[in-house]
Amino acid sequence: DYVLVHAGFAISVLDEAEAAIPVFAELAEATGPQPDVGERLENLFERTGRFGERAGQLSRRRRGRAATSPEAGALDLRRAEILLDQLGLAGQAAALFRDLHEWEPESQRLRDGLERALRQSNDVAGLCEFLEVRSAEEQDAEARARLELERATLLEEMLHREEEAQRLLTALAD
């Protein structure tokens, strides 16, 4: 408890987040998975702009949790957002968002994150698959047509799958 109080003092009174990081890291190592310590360490990493280390800490906290537990999902979501928004690792973020989206397909936040990650990583094939699923789910005919038109454009111009794009455009015209 003394170490925790000392680190808390360094953060709150001295505003020395950098100095508190090694203290919390050592405490996390010594005590094992302690949510309070892990969360404070994550916050320190974010406060100091050490996003790679924050993503690593989230990954460590994720270990040992059931794959489908809400806690695991929340940790993976935070890590995916950091990978995408802070670290520019869109491919890795897309993989996490894709896994999360499979468990919670109705989540708009996950759907938006997956789409952003696919676009930023230039995963055209993945984006086409995503647009196909979104189109099938879309209730509004005009929105569905926009999704299908974008998909046809990507199929033709980026993936050189002209026949598939033509079939899609023909179906749209009907």
Side-chain angles (χ1 to χ4, degrees):
D1 272 348
Y2 171 76
V3 174
L4 194 56
V5 170
H6 176 70
F9 176 77
I11 296 167
S12 61
V13 176
L14 302 177
D15 196 29
E16 289 291 332
E18 280 290 342
I21 287 174
V23 175
F24 274 101
E26 187 175 319
L27 188 61
E29 185 73 29
T31 61
Q34 298 282 332
D36 183 45
V37 174
E39 287 172 20
R40 291 179 89 173
L41 189 54
E42 287 166 36
N43 291 335
L44 289 169
F45 285 142
E46 177 153 348
R47 195 166 152 191
T48 58
R50 293 163 67 169
F51 297 107
E53 290 170 276
R54 182 167 189 231
Q57 178 63 20
L58 287 165
S59 183
R60 283 187 292 282
R61 286 188 54 215
R62 166 69 167 78
R63 286 187 206 123
R65 298 186 193 280
T68 59
S69 74
E71 298 84 16
L75 292 168
D76 282 346
L77 175 59
R78 289 201 321 241
R79 188 163 56 104
E81 289 173 337
I82 289 168
L83 290 170
L84 182 62
D85 298 329
Q86 265 64 46
L87 299 175
L89 299 172
Q92 291 178 34
L96 269 175
F97 277 121
R98 190 176 283 118
D99 290 345
L100 289 165
H101 187 254
E102 286 180 21
W103 289 106
E104 200 175 333
E106 68 283 347
S107 169
Q108 187 65 44
R109 184 176 178 186
L110 294 175
R111 188 178 298 136
D112 291 346
L114 177 56
E115 183 176 1
R116 284 188 315 115
L118 290 169
R119 289 184 188 282
Q120 287 182 26
S121 67
N122 293 316
D123 181 353
V124 178
L127 182 57
C128 281
E129 291 172 19
F130 175 81
L131 292 171
E132 182 177 18
V133 170
R134 286 274 295 122
S135 175
E137 297 170 347
E138 183 58 59
Q139 300 298 314
D140 180 62
E142 191 174 310
R144 188 173 45 255
R146 280 193 305 271
L147 292 166
E148 290 294 331
L149 183 58
E150 180 181 3
R151 185 169 149 243
T153 302
L154 291 171
L155 286 167
E156 181 179 11
E157 294 178 5
M158 303 298 289
L159 298 176
H160 308 291
R161 290 165 40 189
E162 290 82 7
E163 289 180 23
E164 189 176 347
Q166 187 61 44
R167 281 192 303 273
L168 192 54
L169 290 172
T170 302
L172 272 173
D174 291 342

